[in-house]
Amino acid sequence: MAPGLRGDFGEECSTSSVAAPAPATNGMKNQNGHQMDRLGARPLIRKQSCAQGGDSSNVVPSKVSGMDYLRDPKLFKGMAFSIEERQTLGIHGLLPPRIKTQEEMAEHSMRNLRRFDDPLNKYMYMADLSERNEKLFYKVLSENTEELMPIVYTPMWVGLPEVWT
């Protein structure tokens, strides 16, 4: 942090766009009044319980970091993370600024897929999509089942000897 910078409430501020971890204190709150975990990087999530009348005091820190969301294809949503999700997870500057819906990304993926003439290239594109963004892969596959099932389901080993010789 740069020395001498003060925020609205007298706390020290950072000139960086990335949230710096705050010192470890119990019951720490950020500028918005939300409780933060011991590192200050992620907000604590309050779990509501019906048995307790919805007024639960159980506070559980998130066990999945923002980088885990970017690295795990099961959690990754591509450009479909909202601004609030990006800020909460701490990945705001790590994704392109444009926010797209899953539908927009599925249409874009199908346009890219249809540009390939060779079924092997289509298969490789779909395999890569499943490794990067599993939600988008299954959305594209479920919306275009008739067109994509022969590519994804049929083993591509039949045509490989012809390609490599």
Side-chain angles (χ1 to χ4, degrees), residues 32-43:
N32 299 331
H34 295 88
Q35 289 214 342
M36 303 295 279
D37 70 354
R38 62 185 172 83
L39 297 176
R42 298 184 302 262

Side-chain angles (χ1 to χ4, degrees), residues 58-76:
N58 295 337
V59 178
V60 180
S62 175
K63 294 188 184 230
V64 180
S65 72
M67 290 306 292
D68 292 333
Y69 275 86
L70 295 180
R71 292 182 182 133
D72 189 357
K74 293 179 182 171
L75 301 173
F76 187 59

Side-chain angles (χ1 to χ4, degrees), residues 41-123:
R42 298 184 302 262
L44 292 173
I45 301 170
R46 292 198 176 272
K47 301 281 184 181
Q48 297 296 328
S49 172
C50 296
Q52 297 173 349
D55 187 23
S56 173
S57 62
N58 295 337
V59 178
V60 180
S62 175
K63 294 188 184 230
V64 180
S65 72
M67 290 306 292
D68 292 333
Y69 275 86
L70 295 180
R71 292 182 182 133
D72 189 357
K74 293 179 182 171
L75 301 173
F76 187 59
K77 297 192 312 185
M79 294 172 61
F81 286 104
S82 69
I83 294 288
E84 294 81 21
E85 289 174 320
R86 293 174 185 208
Q87 290 174 342
T88 302
L89 295 172
I91 58 173
H92 184 62
L94 302 176
L95 293 172
R98 169 87 158 86
I99 296 174
K100 289 186 176 182
T101 63
Q102 287 284 95
E103 291 79 22
E104 288 175 312
M105 290 191 303
E107 289 173 19
H108 184 75
S109 295
M110 281 307 297
R111 262 187 275 130
N112 285 340
L113 185 68
R114 287 181 180 134
R115 289 180 183 158
F116 295 115
D117 295 328
D118 186 24
L120 181 60
N121 289 336
K122 290 182 179 185
Y123 174 79

Side-chain angles (χ1 to χ4, degrees), residues 119-132:
L120 181 60
N121 289 336
K122 290 182 179 185
Y123 174 79
M124 290 172 46
Y125 180 84
M126 290 301 289
D128 185 51
L129 185 61
S130 72
E131 290 176 7
R132 285 183 288 123

